[in-house]
Amino acid sequence: MEAKVIRTEEQYEAYLNEVQVLISECPKLNSIQSERLELLTVLLEAYENSKYPIESPDPIEAIKFRMEEKGLKRADLIPYFGTSSRVSEVLNRKRPLTVQMIRALTIGLGISAETLVGASSPVDNAKSNELDWSKFPIKEMSKRGWVQGINKNIKESVEEIVKGFISDSGIEFGSASFRKTFYGEAETPTSKYALYAWVARVIQRARKKKSNVGKFMPEALSTSALKELARLSRFESGPLLAIEQLELMGIVVIIEPALKGTLLDGAALKDLDGTPIIGLTLRYDRIDHFWFTLLHELVHIWKHVDSNEAFLDDLDSSSEDRKEAEANRLATEALIPRVLWRRSDAFNNPSKDTIERFAKDLKIHPAIVSGRIRKETGNYSQFADMVGQNLVRKLFVLSEKIEA
């Protein structure tokens, strides 16, 4: 009898019985019986998959099962996730798996990528097109003066005010969801609403500065432009001079402290009219951190950002993402060229004198050299007095008051 697509339960039972008979006969490979067995098996599987679909395994439960199977503790997962805190966040469903984590778990623990990919989205698919307005940090937004007229007793008024605040920034909605794509390590399921609000605030402030900003010329960005900017670090007012220079190039820079619960250093994005915007939180009030973050975000503007993307960076997080790696590499090279670094006394015999001499030769601030030594050695107790602690925020106090 000719085999056909299974459409009824009776046909399914008949084919199932025939398969059992064929299996018991142990047909030879490539025989008519073996070919028939293979064909019926395919038809049965197709019917079963459509009639009785199997729910995809939960990625987190799959990881926990493999941990139990191999006798692993949470500390054993640090090589796959990067830090112990990130292990806890993923296993507690507060942080999505990244592509790098999925790759590492697939190779290291043998969990299929198909199983793990379900956890790579920071929100459930069923809810991905909806925003929960109650999760916006409305109290902190109100305290900072971002929104007014909040009536705690009227839920609808809060929702309308938050909607108005977001829409004023020009961030558009499709089925009540953001149309921008967010990249970087800063976004987690618990922080995304605070990040949305922060981005909206940065865009709003940037628009107030546009009239004083030049026309953006993409061709003006280059490795030499990054190096010229880095050399402004040697001046006490270097951060202010750098922002002035970028605004002459048509790039708006906004200093806006991060909202609570977010681990955010900087952001790079474009407004609806294509104006590039860099947002900095000054999470760490250090000269070395300011310059690396600024150049990292500038590389994103130069190389990666389009009208629908926003990069939100937690620079404490290691990332194997190609775009983040490129931003790190170009920013590092602009500050201290690798070919000079490896042959310098500051690298081979680090001391206050060798650091200051090398910084003078490169025309950069000694804090940048000190910061690189601390980063590469992992010893953050050394040269703590040379990284320019508490020397950045105070430069922006006056300008923040004027712009707010």
Side-chain angles (χ1 to χ4, degrees):
M1 182 178 68
E2 181 184 358
K4 298 180 180 180
V5 174
I6 301 173
R7 303 190 186 279
T8 66
E9 193 71 20
E10 290 76 15
Q11 188 182 3
Y12 170 76
E13 291 291 341
Y15 283 174
L16 189 61
N17 291 332
E18 186 177 352
V19 164
Q20 291 174 344
V21 171
L22 289 170
I23 290 175
S24 66
E25 294 176 352
C26 298
K28 292 182 180 180
L29 188 65
N30 297 324
S31 66
I32 295 176
Q33 290 86 351
S34 69
E35 294 291 338
R36 174 80 175 178
L37 176 60
E38 184 177 353
L39 175 58
L40 292 179
T41 300
V42 170
L43 293 173
L44 287 167
E45 288 181 353
Y47 180 77
E48 289 171 349
N49 289 337
S50 62
K51 186 76 173 179
Y52 314 108
I54 299 174
E55 186 177 348
S56 299
D58 179 79
I60 303 305
E61 291 303 320
I63 295 172
K64 291 180 178 179
F65 175 79
R66 189 54 54 88
M67 289 173 65
E68 183 177 351
E69 186 179 47
K70 292 180 173 289
L72 301 176
K73 298 179 180 179
R74 290 196 174 198
D76 298 319
L77 297 187
I78 292 176
Y80 307 107
F81 293 92
T83 65
S84 58
S85 61
R86 204 171 298 169
V87 172
S88 296
E89 289 172 348
V90 170
L91 295 183
N92 292 329
R93 305 178 189 276
K94 294 182 178 180
R95 175 186 283 268
L97 287 171
T98 64
V99 173
Q100 292 75 31
M101 292 177 189
I102 291 173
R103 186 183 299 120
L105 290 168
T106 299
I107 296 172
L109 297 185
I111 306 173
S112 71
E114 289 78 10
T115 297
L116 295 170
V117 76
S120 63
S121 175
V123 291
D124 294 334
N125 289 335
K127 299 179 180 178
S128 62
N129 289 329
E130 297 297 332
L131 287 178
D132 185 346
W133 297 100
S134 67
K135 290 185 178 180
F136 279 91
I138 190 64
K139 290 183 180 179
E140 191 174 1
M141 292 165 65
S142 179
K143 186 177 180 180
R144 290 196 183 191
W146 295 4
V147 294
Q148 289 83 34
I150 297 296
N151 187 331
K152 298 179 181 179
N153 298 321
I154 305 177
K155 179 182 178 181
E156 291 75 14
S157 73
V158 173
E159 181 173 319
E160 289 304 315
I161 288 172
V162 175
K163 280 184 178 180
F165 174 79
I166 298 297
S167 62
D168 283 348
S169 69
I171 298 179
E172 300 178 25
F173 293 87
S175 300
S177 64
F178 281 81
R179 288 184 182 174
K180 279 193 180 297
T181 301
F182 290 87
Y183 291 91
E185 293 290 331
E187 184 180 351
T188 69
T190 56
S191 70
K192 73 170 189 173
Y193 287 96
L195 290 173
Y196 288 169
W198 183 87
V199 169
R201 174 63 173 173
V202 166
I203 292 173
Q204 290 170 1
R205 290 187 56 197
R207 287 176 178 170
K208 293 181 180 179
K209 297 181 69 174
K210 283 183 183 179
S211 60
N212 299 320
V213 172
K215 182 180 180 181
F216 177 54
M217 305 293 287
E219 61 273 15
L221 292 176
S222 63
T223 53
S224 60
L226 264 64
K227 290 179 180 179
E228 283 185 27
L229 202 68
R231 288 177 179 174
L232 294 176
S233 66
R234 69 186 188 273
F235 301 110
E236 183 178 348
S237 60
L240 295 176
L241 295 173
I243 289 177
E244 289 179 8
Q245 180 63 34
L246 289 175
E247 291 182 347
L248 287 173
M249 296 167 62
I251 301 170
V252 183
V253 181
I254 299 296
I255 307 296
E256 183 64 57
L259 290 165
K260 294 177 183 177
T262 61
L263 301 176
L264 182 64
D265 293 301
L269 61 148
K270 288 183 179 179
D271 202 351
L272 296 176
D273 63 358
T275 301
I277 302 171
I278 291 176
L280 302 176
T281 66
L282 305 186
R283 176 159 66 125
Y284 299 115
D285 187 4
R286 302 195 318 262
I287 288 176
D288 66 316
H289 192 266
F290 170 85
W291 285 99
F292 181 78
T293 305
L294 180 68
L295 293 184
H296 180 99
E297 303 307 336
L298 186 56
V299 173
H300 280 321
I301 295 293
W302 174 24
K303 295 281 190 176
H304 309 137
V305 174
D306 66 23
S307 58
N308 295 317
E309 295 177 331
F311 286 80
L312 304 176
D313 290 308
D314 168 11
L315 296 179
D316 281 346
S317 297
S318 59
S319 175
E320 296 179 15
D321 179 81
R322 180 186 61 80
K323 294 178 181 179
E324 294 299 337
E326 184 174 34
N328 284 335
R329 178 178 59 81
L330 291 175
T332 300
E333 188 69 13
L335 292 166
I336 304 176
R338 182 179 178 82
V339 66
L340 300 178
W341 175 236
R342 292 290 178 176
R343 294 184 294 183
S344 70
D345 289 338
F347 173 79
N348 293 297
N349 184 27
S351 69
K352 182 176 181 180
D353 288 340
T354 58
I355 288 171
E356 289 181 342
R357 286 202 302 269
F358 186 56
K360 185 176 181 180
D361 290 341
L362 293 181
K363 298 180 181 179
I364 60 174
H365 198 288
I368 296 172
V369 182
S370 304
R372 181 153 179 176
I373 293 171
R374 284 152 54 97
K375 176 72 173 179
E376 291 189 354
T377 62
N379 183 358
Y380 291 94
S381 63
Q382 61 180 335
F383 307 117
D385 59 339
M386 296 187 67
V387 291
Q389 187 73 46
N390 301 322
L391 295 181
V392 181
R393 287 180 192 159
K394 66 180 185 179
L395 294 173
F396 296 98
V397 170
L398 180 60
S399 60
E400 282 183 1
K401 288 181 179 178
I402 292 173
E403 293 172 11

